[in-house]
Amino acid sequence: MTNTIGCIEKADVILVTGSNTTENHPVLSSFVKRAVTFKNARLIVVDPRRIKLTSFAHQWMRQNLGTDVVWINGLMHVIIKEDLYDREFVAKRTDGFDELRKLVEKFTPEHVEEITGIPAQQLIDVARMYAGAKAGSILYCMGITQHTHGTDNVKSLANLAMLCGNLGIEGGGVNPLRGQNNVQGACDVGGLPNVFTAYQPVTNPDAVKKMEEAWGVSGLSDKVGLKVTEMLPKAHDGEFKALYIIGENPLVSDPDLNHAEQCIKNLEFLVVQDIFMTETARLADVVLPSACFAEKEGTFANTERRVQRVRKAVDPPGQAWDDWKITCEIATRMGYAMSYESSEAIHEEIRTVTPSYAGITYPRIEEEGIHWPCPAEDHPGTPVLHTAQFPIGKGKFHAIDYIPPAENTDEEYPMYLTTGRVIYQYHTGTMTRKTEGLNERAPESFVEISPKDAGQYELKDGDWVQVASRRGDITARIRFSDKAVEGTVFIPFHFAEAAANRLTHAALDPVSGIPEYKVCAVKLSKAA
Amino acid sequence: MSENRIVINGNDFSFEPEETILQVASRNHIDIPTLCHLKGAAPTGECRICMVEVEGAQALVAACSGPAENGMVVQTESPKVIESRRMTLQLMLSSGNHNCAVRGSDDKDWTQFQLAVQKEDGSPQLCPVWGDCRLQDLAYRYQVSGERFPKTDTPYPMETVNPFIVRDFSRCILCGRCVQACNDIQVNQAIHFGNRGAATKIIAAGDRPLKDSDCVFCGECVQVCPVGALVEKDAKYKVRPWETKKVRTTCSYCGVGCQLHLHVKEGKVVKVTGAEDIPPNYGSLCVKGRFGFDFVNSPERLTTPLIREEDGEFREASWDEAIDLVAKRLGEIKEKHGGDTFGMLTSARITNEENYIAQKFARAVMKTNNVDHCARL
Ligand code: SF4
Ligand code: SF4
Ligand code: FES
């Protein structure tokens, strides 16, 4: 997030899109609900489903799946045409405005309505509402990123925020909500193929040299590595030989699971390090037991870039070890000594090679976490980013045109499928499904459908239905819901036995490598 | 100069406009007891325990809602104040099954009362929050028992038909904190005050059980309930505060990073509460963070390294053997096919330190940048 969670209550307009906040980030959603209920903030929700937050919203725009670039460009069209944008911010702090203006010219409210289904007048009203904010906050999640053009969606939202001068101010910002507790941290410390810690590019010779010196090695690769979604297909072709997977379960979370399974089986060697025998671990050559969050010391970085402590409360079961200890031991036996006394010792090393973490020490975050960038021990941390300037100097507008989703409905596969989570379960369910109470509340997969669509297939609430896409099929129960939109079904992806990802499409965003989980075409039939 | 001054217990303090007497007092470490007052929500003045004496005022004033005024002279523990608090407490104690030691243990009535409560509770033990109850604390502080007034019968049975929360109306003092927590803090709008007068009850959606209401089991109400009227089902009668140690940590589910306390008993996590007064969550949690910790103690946890045999089955192995095997195989693959045929998937669920070590391993040992995690997924 460019801003903090607390900042949400300082916004006077909040735009939430592609985030079922009350179910996926419940505590953060309270900040939104409080802002609206008690602080007079206006709420705009843009979502294809009638999610809970729509009942708090002043405006709910219901877009057709995969048309986000269109409504965002449409908003900017109106804002520029009616001269509601922040001229000073655009002049002083941005580049590329003219290209943007030219591009959005054709996104008239009428044109937008044709593609997105959002009524022209509503688009105009929403544009005025957002542009009228003193501080407008944009919150988004996987509903924006999990598309073949997810990167375009994100850049478009940044365009919108810059256009209205909503960056670098309290209560503003473009705020991605991270779905997993330490996504932010995993990226910060170099868990990505193109960057070292603190996003230092692996292609930058200076960065390579710095790391070689810090680590006492030579010959680090300066070639961008493969993303997970690129590794698997290469394994299928036999070009890729070995994977070491820590705490992930791609065999429920990956798109087009049937294919992913083939790829993984094709590996020469697979090591899985986890707390449970997951679907993925079952295919491993070696399984290594690790400690869970309650059994170790360390830090996580949350969605607002706040680095916070993790502390050991109980001992790990049996012989399970801390993840870092296992990896260090393997390295050492391969001839590169890695040994640390504690996670704090590792953190001290991170500080030396990670400028944004340099000032964050364990004693400093004993009570309260600190927002990076925090370059020095006397630096208070940075709750709001870009207050004076962007890392690249001026903010760049990206003129982005609309590209339809990779797969559309047709006669054979007439319904859209979109996937996501429910409040009582988490990700692939390996953790939450161990709590009986959570299972009692959300015991099994389901297919959320509007009663009208169900009627066409003569399906009743609770019936078993087979859902098939070009890639596979699953069987689950029908659930009538007023959250559903006509023409679209929703399936949560937590449940391995009816894994939504047997259906999803592995078409990737060319930049982020994120699969299009949020749109694919399916057909339904009553299960025998 | 001395525009905004107030005298509390003989000491002179300055205050900001719109501060309440309670706020000025607590800022200056003067302890005024409260029950219904909930930080972050507007004061309701429901419980009357925070009453203080203000010079020149006809009646006692509720400190939680009474604004500080210039020249005010306040007594927080005067005889009048104490008399009022004792009365309030006595009424509360007689309102239901408050069977902790405060209810006249020297009286023969005790047994009768205790037996009656035991029957309703289905347990021979004292109140489930014994030792962790605001009402009990205050009863000790002001030396009152529940004997002054006869026990009123509790008209509503206990609700146990959901997996997480037990609602015991017999111990509810109608302070309204749960209602505020639900409506003003979490804004789930699931529970409200229902009925009137003596029949008053905290109800959900037309007096239905929580499981059939808008409740999403965030458990904020349990955390704020000052007495034993709302308790975690799993912890009820099993976890006593003096048996546990609390460890502050960060939630392991979503990216909000809520700060929480793991309550540990005999080496096991038995309960979770939100860490109050600290960002980002200021005490709030969701159902996963508060109740979804069973996986830690799960018998399905992996406890030993496993190696796959020729026949495809796993067998248990020592760390020594497993690590040797991994080191050998990865070494061979690097040698034969090059480090770029290896990939490391680190995790959005392990610590920064562990992610750092994982990527360092891929880069420094395997000499590849094939490092990623499943966050995009
Ligand atoms: S249930 Fe607890 S918090 Fe709610 S009104 Fe009763 S005593 Fe107060
Ligand atoms: S308690 Fe809930 S909202 Fe808070 S971090 Fe955990 S999962 Fe997220
Ligand atoms: S705390 Fe003031 S009336 Fe309850």
Side-chain angles (χ1 to χ4, degrees), chain B residues 126-173:
Chain B
L126 293 174
C127 176
V129 298
W130 207 98
D132 183 20
C133 173
R134 281 292 284 158
L135 181 58
Q136 188 187 35
D137 292 348
L138 291 173
Y140 277 118
R141 173 161 160 187
Y142 292 100
Q143 306 266 304
V144 297
S145 72
E147 293 296 88
R148 169 99 180 254
F149 302 103
K151 169 184 179 283
T152 39
D153 280 335
T154 40
Y156 305 111
M158 210 181 290
E159 177 187 320
T160 56
V161 287
N162 73 70
F164 305 114
I165 301 173
V166 174
R167 297 169 84 199
D168 178 356
F169 299 98
S170 76
R171 290 189 169 96
C172 174
I173 55 170

Tab-separated table of all heavy atoms in Angstrom, chain B residues 126-173:
chain	number	residue	atom	x	y	z
B	126	LEU	N	-16.486	-22.915	39.107
B	126	LEU	CA	-16.917	-21.525	39.234
B	126	LEU	C	-16.896	-20.875	37.854
B	126	LEU	O	-16.330	-21.415	36.900
B	126	LEU	CB	-15.984	-20.782	40.186
B	126	LEU	CG	-16.071	-21.256	41.636
B	126	LEU	CD1	-15.015	-20.562	42.488
B	126	LEU	CD2	-17.459	-20.980	42.213
B	127	CYS	N	-17.489	-19.703	37.780
B	127	CYS	CA	-17.620	-18.979	36.511
B	127	CYS	C	-16.391	-19.141	35.603
B	127	CYS	O	-15.254	-19.058	36.058
B	127	CYS	CB	-17.838	-17.501	36.803
B	127	CYS	SG	-17.886	-16.500	35.324
B	128	PRO	N	-16.613	-19.351	34.320
B	128	PRO	CA	-15.503	-19.611	33.408
B	128	PRO	C	-14.468	-18.486	33.312
B	128	PRO	O	-13.332	-18.750	32.917
B	128	PRO	CB	-16.178	-19.836	32.052
B	128	PRO	CG	-17.580	-19.390	32.198
B	128	PRO	CD	-17.917	-19.495	33.645
B	129	VAL	N	-14.854	-17.273	33.655
B	129	VAL	CA	-13.839	-16.210	33.545
B	129	VAL	C	-13.271	-15.817	34.906
B	129	VAL	O	-12.670	-14.765	35.059
B	129	VAL	CB	-14.369	-14.950	32.799
B	129	VAL	CG1	-14.750	-15.300	31.393
B	129	VAL	CG2	-15.522	-14.304	33.551
B	130	TRP	N	-13.459	-16.676	35.894
B	130	TRP	CA	-12.895	-16.447	37.233
B	130	TRP	C	-11.439	-15.990	37.096
B	130	TRP	O	-10.633	-16.643	36.466
B	130	TRP	CB	-12.945	-17.764	38.010
B	130	TRP	CG	-13.034	-17.606	39.487
B	130	TRP	CD1	-14.175	-17.664	40.246
B	130	TRP	CD2	-11.961	-17.402	40.395
B	130	TRP	NE1	-13.872	-17.498	41.574
B	130	TRP	CE2	-12.517	-17.320	41.704
B	130	TRP	CE3	-10.588	-17.243	40.260
B	130	TRP	CZ2	-11.752	-17.112	42.839
B	130	TRP	CZ3	-9.824	-17.038	41.392
B	130	TRP	CH2	-10.405	-16.976	42.682
B	131	GLY	N	-11.142	-14.842	37.680
B	131	GLY	CA	-9.753	-14.365	37.617
B	131	GLY	C	-9.498	-13.458	36.435
B	131	GLY	O	-8.415	-12.911	36.288
B	132	ASP	N	-10.495	-13.330	35.564
B	132	ASP	CA	-10.306	-12.469	34.393
B	132	ASP	C	-11.620	-11.742	34.139
B	132	ASP	O	-12.181	-11.800	33.065
B	132	ASP	CB	-9.908	-13.336	33.199
B	132	ASP	CG	-9.613	-12.492	31.962
B	132	ASP	OD1	-9.355	-11.283	32.116
B	132	ASP	OD2	-9.661	-13.051	30.847
B	133	CYS	N	-12.140	-11.081	35.179
B	133	CYS	CA	-13.480	-10.496	35.108
B	133	CYS	C	-13.455	-9.122	35.749
B	133	CYS	O	-13.030	-8.959	36.893
B	133	CYS	CB	-14.470	-11.408	35.832
B	133	CYS	SG	-16.112	-10.703	35.985
B	134	ARG	N	-13.910	-8.141	35.035
B	134	ARG	CA	-13.938	-6.768	35.563
B	134	ARG	C	-14.876	-6.657	36.761
B	134	ARG	O	-14.586	-5.968	37.730
B	134	ARG	CB	-14.426	-5.787	34.476
B	134	ARG	CG	-13.418	-5.404	33.458
B	134	ARG	CD	-12.297	-4.547	34.027
B	134	ARG	NE	-12.682	-3.153	34.265
B	134	ARG	CZ	-12.051	-2.342	35.111
B	134	ARG	NH1	-11.034	-2.797	35.809
B	134	ARG	NH2	-12.436	-1.101	35.248
B	135	LEU	N	-15.995	-7.339	36.657
B	135	LEU	CA	-16.979	-7.248	37.735
B	135	LEU	C	-16.422	-7.849	39.019
B	135	LEU	O	-16.543	-7.274	40.101
B	135	LEU	CB	-18.268	-7.961	37.302
B	135	LEU	CG	-19.431	-7.938	38.300
B	135	LEU	CD1	-19.832	-6.520	38.661
B	135	LEU	CD2	-20.630	-8.701	37.732
B	136	GLN	N	-15.795	-8.999	38.884
B	136	GLN	CA	-15.189	-9.641	40.052
B	136	GLN	C	-14.115	-8.743	40.669
B	136	GLN	O	-14.077	-8.531	41.877
B	136	GLN	CB	-14.587	-10.977	39.611
B	136	GLN	CG	-14.096	-11.834	40.766
B	136	GLN	CD	-13.349	-13.061	40.280
B	136	GLN	OE1	-12.648	-13.010	39.269
B	136	GLN	NE2	-13.512	-14.159	40.993
B	137	ASP	N	-13.279	-8.176	39.810
B	137	ASP	CA	-12.228	-7.268	40.302
B	137	ASP	C	-12.837	-6.124	41.105
B	137	ASP	O	-12.364	-5.790	42.190
B	137	ASP	CB	-11.459	-6.637	39.135
B	137	ASP	CG	-10.637	-7.651	38.383
B	137	ASP	OD1	-10.469	-8.780	38.893
B	137	ASP	OD2	-10.161	-7.319	37.265
B	138	LEU	N	-13.890	-5.547	40.543
B	138	LEU	CA	-14.496	-4.383	41.200
B	138	LEU	C	-15.208	-4.787	42.483
B	138	LEU	O	-15.221	-4.040	43.459
B	138	LEU	CB	-15.455	-3.676	40.246
B	138	LEU	CG	-14.757	-2.965	39.075
B	138	LEU	CD1	-15.787	-2.427	38.087
B	138	LEU	CD2	-13.883	-1.821	39.584
B	139	ALA	N	-15.791	-5.965	42.492
B	139	ALA	CA	-16.461	-6.434	43.706
B	139	ALA	C	-15.444	-6.565	44.835
B	139	ALA	O	-15.717	-6.220	45.988
B	139	ALA	CB	-17.144	-7.765	43.435
B	140	TYR	N	-14.251	-7.064	44.484
B	140	TYR	CA	-13.201	-7.134	45.508
B	140	TYR	C	-12.762	-5.740	45.921
B	140	TYR	O	-12.645	-5.431	47.107
B	140	TYR	CB	-12.000	-7.918	44.985
B	140	TYR	CG	-12.168	-9.408	45.127
B	140	TYR	CD1	-12.190	-10.231	44.014
B	140	TYR	CD2	-12.318	-9.986	46.399
B	140	TYR	CE1	-12.358	-11.599	44.146
B	140	TYR	CE2	-12.488	-11.356	46.535
B	140	TYR	CZ	-12.509	-12.162	45.416
B	140	TYR	OH	-12.673	-13.491	45.540
B	141	ARG	N	-12.548	-4.896	44.913
B	141	ARG	CA	-12.053	-3.557	45.216
B	141	ARG	C	-12.997	-2.805	46.151
B	141	ARG	O	-12.560	-2.118	47.051
B	141	ARG	CB	-11.870	-2.792	43.901
B	141	ARG	CG	-11.520	-1.324	44.053
B	141	ARG	CD	-10.912	-0.803	42.753
B	141	ARG	NE	-10.981	0.639	42.661
B	141	ARG	CZ	-10.643	1.329	41.572
B	141	ARG	NH1	-10.229	0.685	40.483
B	141	ARG	NH2	-10.720	2.642	41.550
B	142	TYR	N	-14.298	-2.956	45.917
B	142	TYR	CA	-15.260	-2.221	46.742
B	142	TYR	C	-15.906	-3.099	47.805
B	142	TYR	O	-16.889	-2.707	48.434
B	142	TYR	CB	-16.292	-1.526	45.847
B	142	TYR	CG	-15.639	-0.420	45.056
B	142	TYR	CD1	-15.271	-0.610	43.731
B	142	TYR	CD2	-15.320	0.793	45.670
B	142	TYR	CE1	-14.623	0.382	43.021
B	142	TYR	CE2	-14.668	1.792	44.964
B	142	TYR	CZ	-14.322	1.582	43.641
B	142	TYR	OH	-13.675	2.572	42.954
B	143	GLN	N	-15.362	-4.313	47.972
B	143	GLN	CA	-15.754	-5.170	49.091
B	143	GLN	C	-17.254	-5.412	49.151
B	143	GLN	O	-17.881	-5.190	50.175
B	143	GLN	CB	-15.314	-4.506	50.403
B	143	GLN	CG	-13.850	-4.154	50.440
B	143	GLN	CD	-13.039	-5.243	51.077
B	143	GLN	OE1	-13.295	-5.646	52.191
B	143	GLN	NE2	-12.066	-5.752	50.350
B	144	VAL	N	-17.819	-5.842	48.054
B	144	VAL	CA	-19.245	-6.170	48.111
B	144	VAL	C	-19.455	-7.635	47.738
B	144	VAL	O	-18.649	-8.232	47.040
B	144	VAL	CB	-20.094	-5.304	47.155
B	144	VAL	CG1	-20.016	-3.859	47.559
B	144	VAL	CG2	-19.676	-5.495	45.716
B	145	SER	N	-20.538	-8.196	48.250
B	145	SER	CA	-20.921	-9.545	47.865
B	145	SER	C	-22.229	-9.433	47.103
B	145	SER	O	-22.778	-8.357	46.948
B	145	SER	CB	-21.116	-10.411	49.102
B	145	SER	OG	-22.308	-10.005	49.741
B	146	GLY	N	-22.751	-10.547	46.685
B	146	GLY	CA	-24.011	-10.498	45.944
B	146	GLY	C	-25.201	-10.702	46.861
B	146	GLY	O	-26.299	-10.985	46.411
B	147	GLU	N	-24.978	-10.544	48.172
B	147	GLU	CA	-26.021	-10.904	49.131
B	147	GLU	C	-27.102	-9.843	49.335
B	147	GLU	O	-28.173	-10.142	49.809
B	147	GLU	CB	-25.378	-11.176	50.494
B	147	GLU	CG	-24.499	-12.388	50.501
B	147	GLU	CD	-25.299	-13.644	50.236
B	147	GLU	OE1	-25.488	-14.013	49.065
B	147	GLU	OE2	-25.772	-14.255	51.204
B	148	ARG	N	-26.777	-8.629	49.010
B	148	ARG	CA	-27.666	-7.519	49.362
B	148	ARG	C	-29.059	-7.688	48.764
B	148	ARG	O	-30.065	-7.464	49.399
B	148	ARG	CB	-27.027	-6.228	48.866
B	148	ARG	CG	-27.913	-5.012	48.918
B	148	ARG	CD	-27.625	-4.167	50.144
B	148	ARG	NE	-28.482	-3.006	50.161
B	148	ARG	CZ	-28.082	-1.780	49.886
B	148	ARG	NH1	-26.803	-1.560	49.598
B	148	ARG	NH2	-28.926	-0.776	49.927
B	149	PHE	N	-29.068	-8.124	47.481
B	149	PHE	CA	-30.358	-8.317	46.818
B	149	PHE	C	-30.513	-9.791	46.453
B	149	PHE	O	-29.521	-10.469	46.170
B	149	PHE	CB	-30.431	-7.479	45.540
B	149	PHE	CG	-30.222	-6.017	45.797
B	149	PHE	CD1	-29.011	-5.409	45.493
B	149	PHE	CD2	-31.241	-5.252	46.369
B	149	PHE	CE1	-28.819	-4.054	45.737
B	149	PHE	CE2	-31.041	-3.892	46.621
B	149	PHE	CZ	-29.828	-3.292	46.304
B	150	PRO	N	-31.730	-10.271	46.439
B	150	PRO	CA	-31.911	-11.674	46.037
B	150	PRO	C	-31.546	-11.842	44.566
B	150	PRO	O	-31.709	-10.922	43.768
B	150	PRO	CB	-33.401	-11.914	46.261
B	150	PRO	CG	-34.028	-10.561	46.269
B	150	PRO	CD	-32.989	-9.586	46.734
B	151	LYS	N	-31.059	-13.028	44.244
B	151	LYS	CA	-30.685	-13.295	42.859
B	151	LYS	C	-31.939	-13.282	41.979
B	151	LYS	O	-32.937	-13.910	42.296
B	151	LYS	CB	-30.021	-14.667	42.772
B	151	LYS	CG	-29.811	-15.175	41.353
B	151	LYS	CD	-29.228	-16.579	41.386
B	151	LYS	CE	-29.027	-17.158	40.006
B	151	LYS	NZ	-30.181	-17.655	39.317
B	152	THR	N	-31.847	-12.528	40.907
B	152	THR	CA	-32.976	-12.551	39.979
B	152	THR	C	-32.796	-13.730	39.035
B	152	THR	O	-31.667	-14.063	38.659
B	152	THR	CB	-33.025	-11.263	39.132
B	152	THR	OG1	-31.693	-10.907	38.780
B	152	THR	CG2	-33.677	-10.135	39.888
B	153	ASP	N	-33.877	-14.321	38.649
B	153	ASP	CA	-33.763	-15.478	37.760
B	153	ASP	C	-33.387	-15.035	36.360
B	153	ASP	O	-33.724	-13.930	35.942
B	153	ASP	CB	-35.070	-16.260	37.729
B	153	ASP	CG	-35.161	-17.150	38.949
B	153	ASP	OD1	-34.087	-17.500	39.490
B	153	ASP	OD2	-36.290	-17.465	39.368
B	154	THR	N	-32.709	-15.906	35.687
B	154	THR	CA	-32.308	-15.541	34.343
B	154	THR	C	-33.295	-16.133	33.353
B	154	THR	O	-33.472	-17.338	33.294
B	154	THR	CB	-30.911	-16.071	34.031
B	154	THR	OG1	-30.811	-17.366	34.574
B	154	THR	CG2	-29.856	-15.190	34.637
B	155	PRO	N	-33.952	-15.276	32.636
B	155	PRO	CA	-35.039	-15.748	31.788
B	155	PRO	C	-34.582	-16.437	30.502
B	155	PRO	O	-35.377	-17.081	29.852
B	155	PRO	CB	-35.819	-14.472	31.466
B	155	PRO	CG	-34.841	-13.371	31.631
B	155	PRO	CD	-33.795	-13.815	32.591
B	156	TYR	N	-33.300	-16.266	30.160
B	156	TYR	CA	-32.900	-16.783	28.850
B	156	TYR	C	-31.849	-17.878	28.981
B	156	TYR	O	-30.872	-17.719	29.708
B	156	TYR	CB	-32.331	-15.652	27.992
B	156	TYR	CG	-33.286	-14.502	27.862
B	156	TYR	CD1	-33.020	-13.274	28.453
B	156	TYR	CD2	-34.485	-14.663	27.165
B	156	TYR	CE1	-33.907	-12.219	28.364
B	156	TYR	CE2	-35.384	-13.613	27.068
B	156	TYR	CZ	-35.092	-12.388	27.668
B	156	TYR	OH	-35.979	-11.366	27.568
B	157	PRO	N	-32.037	-18.982	28.274
B	157	PRO	CA	-31.075	-20.082	28.360
B	157	PRO	C	-29.782	-19.744	27.623
B	157	PRO	O	-29.737	-18.868	26.773
B	157	PRO	CB	-31.788	-21.240	27.668
B	157	PRO	CG	-32.737	-20.583	26.719
B	157	PRO	CD	-33.146	-19.283	27.352
B	158	MET	N	-28.762	-20.487	27.960
B	158	MET	CA	-27.460	-20.301	27.329
B	158	MET	C	-27.539	-20.685	25.849
B	158	MET	O	-28.239	-21.625	25.491
B	158	MET	CB	-26.485	-21.238	28.037
B	158	MET	CG	-25.080	-20.738	28.077
B	158	MET	SD	-24.001	-21.911	28.901
B	158	MET	CE	-24.482	-21.822	30.588
B	159	GLU	N	-26.806	-19.961	24.998
B	159	GLU	CA	-26.778	-20.334	23.575
B	159	GLU	C	-25.421	-20.967	23.248
B	159	GLU	O	-24.380	-20.336	23.410
B	159	GLU	CB	-26.980	-19.080	22.704
B	159	GLU	CG	-26.895	-19.409	21.215
B	159	GLU	CD	-26.931	-18.158	20.344
B	159	GLU	OE1	-27.706	-17.233	20.648
B	159	GLU	OE2	-26.158	-18.125	19.370
B	160	THR	N	-25.467	-22.203	22.806
B	160	THR	CA	-24.205	-22.904	22.524
B	160	THR	C	-24.167	-23.454	21.110
B	160	THR	O	-23.269	-24.209	20.752
B	160	THR	CB	-24.015	-24.086	23.493
B	160	THR	OG1	-25.155	-24.931	23.383
B	160	THR	CG2	-23.876	-23.615	24.920
B	161	VAL	N	-25.161	-23.071	20.305
B	161	VAL	CA	-25.278	-23.721	18.995
B	161	VAL	C	-24.441	-23.061	17.901
B	161	VAL	O	-24.898	-22.883	16.785
B	161	VAL	CB	-26.749	-23.754	18.510
B	161	VAL	CG1	-27.527	-24.756	19.308
B	161	VAL	CG2	-27.367	-22.358	18.593
B	162	ASN	N	-23.234	-22.655	18.198
B	162	ASN	CA	-22.321	-22.273	17.125
B	162	ASN	C	-20.955	-22.762	17.549
B	162	ASN	O	-20.732	-23.032	18.729
B	162	ASN	CB	-22.362	-20.754	16.880
B	162	ASN	CG	-21.687	-19.990	17.987
B	162	ASN	OD1	-20.463	-20.039	18.138
B	162	ASN	ND2	-22.464	-19.286	18.789
B	163	PRO	N	-20.033	-22.885	16.615
B	163	PRO	CA	-18.759	-23.521	16.979
B	163	PRO	C	-17.824	-22.666	17.821
B	163	PRO	O	-16.856	-23.197	18.357
B	163	PRO	CB	-18.113	-23.826	15.620
B	163	PRO	CG	-18.903	-23.127	14.591
B	163	PRO	CD	-20.184	-22.669	15.174
B	164	PHE	N	-18.078	-21.377	17.950
B	164	PHE	CA	-17.043	-20.521	18.527
B	164	PHE	C	-17.384	-19.843	19.853
B	164	PHE	O	-16.546	-19.706	20.720
B	164	PHE	CB	-16.673	-19.420	17.529
B	164	PHE	CG	-16.263	-19.936	16.186
B	164	PHE	CD1	-17.023	-19.677	15.059
B	164	PHE	CD2	-15.103	-20.696	16.055
B	164	PHE	CE1	-16.637	-20.157	13.817
B	164	PHE	CE2	-14.715	-21.181	14.819
B	164	PHE	CZ	-15.484	-20.911	13.698
B	165	ILE	N	-18.632	-19.357	19.963
B	165	ILE	CA	-18.950	-18.455	21.066
B	165	ILE	C	-20.099	-19.011	21.903
B	165	ILE	O	-21.128	-19.412	21.359
B	165	ILE	CB	-19.362	-17.060	20.518
B	165	ILE	CG1	-18.214	-16.471	19.691
B	165	ILE	CG2	-19.755	-16.118	21.653
B	165	ILE	CD1	-18.576	-15.176	18.965
B	166	VAL	N	-19.910	-19.023	23.227
B	166	VAL	CA	-21.014	-19.368	24.120
B	166	VAL	C	-21.592	-18.070	24.654
B	166	VAL	O	-20.864	-17.222	25.178
B	166	VAL	CB	-20.522	-20.240	25.288
B	166	VAL	CG1	-21.654	-20.468	26.291
B	166	VAL	CG2	-19.981	-21.557	24.775
B	167	ARG	N	-22.902	-17.916	24.502
B	167	ARG	CA	-23.573	-16.726	25.043
B	167	ARG	C	-24.332	-17.142	26.296
B	167	ARG	O	-25.319	-17.859	26.217
B	167	ARG	CB	-24.548	-16.145	24.022
B	167	ARG	CG	-23.890	-15.664	22.753
B	167	ARG	CD	-24.941	-15.372	21.700
B	167	ARG	NE	-25.536	-14.047	21.823
B	167	ARG	CZ	-26.698	-13.719	21.255
B	167	ARG	NH1	-27.401	-14.622	20.586
B	167	ARG	NH2	-27.159	-12.495	21.381
B	168	ASP	N	-23.858	-16.666	27.445
B	168	ASP	CA	-24.462	-17.035	28.714
B	168	ASP	C	-25.192	-15.817	29.265
B	168	ASP	O	-24.595	-14.968	29.925
B	168	ASP	CB	-23.343	-17.514	29.646
B	168	ASP	CG	-23.879	-17.874	31.022
B	168	ASP	OD1	-25.089	-17.685	31.259
B	168	ASP	OD2	-23.075	-18.337	31.845
B	169	PHE	N	-26.483	-15.741	28.972
B	169	PHE	CA	-27.254	-14.547	29.360
B	169	PHE	C	-27.367	-14.406	30.867
B	169	PHE	O	-27.650	-13.334	31.377
B	169	PHE	CB	-28.637	-14.594	28.708
B	169	PHE	CG	-28.556	-14.611	27.217
B	169	PHE	CD1	-28.642	-15.796	26.514
B	169	PHE	CD2	-28.358	-13.434	26.512
B	169	PHE	CE1	-28.540	-15.815	25.135
B	169	PHE	CE2	-28.258	-13.443	25.129
B	169	PHE	CZ	-28.344	-14.636	24.445
B	170	SER	N	-27.135	-15.493	31.588
B	170	SER	CA	-27.263	-15.431	33.042
B	170	SER	C	-26.151	-14.594	33.659
B	170	SER	O	-26.217	-14.233	34.823
B	170	SER	CB	-27.222	-16.839	33.633
B	170	SER	OG	-25.894	-17.330	33.641
B	171	ARG	N	-25.098	-14.325	32.908
B	171	ARG	CA	-24.012	-13.532	33.484
B	171	ARG	C	-23.888	-12.149	32.824
B	171	ARG	O	-22.984	-11.394	33.119
B	171	ARG	CB	-22.690	-14.287	33.380
B	171	ARG	CG	-22.645	-15.492	34.308
B	171	ARG	CD	-21.283	-16.131	34.384
B	171	ARG	NE	-21.226	-17.098	35.461
B	171	ARG	CZ	-21.414	-18.412	35.310
B	171	ARG	NH1	-21.662	-18.911	34.113
B	171	ARG	NH2	-21.337	-19.216	36.341
B	172	CYS	N	-24.803	-11.863	31.923
B	172	CYS	CA	-24.746	-10.581	31.211
B	172	CYS	C	-25.189	-9.443	32.119
B	172	CYS	O	-26.213	-9.536	32.787
B	172	CYS	CB	-25.654	-10.656	29.987
B	172	CYS	SG	-25.799	-9.101	29.114
B	173	ILE	N	-24.410	-8.399	32.182
B	173	ILE	CA	-24.790	-7.233	32.988
B	173	ILE	C	-25.316	-6.090	32.116
B	173	ILE	O	-25.450	-4.958	32.572
B	173	ILE	CB	-23.603	-6.741	33.848
B	173	ILE	CG1	-22.389	-6.462	32.973
B	173	ILE	CG2	-23.265	-7.766	34.938
B	173	ILE	CD1	-21.247	-5.759	33.685
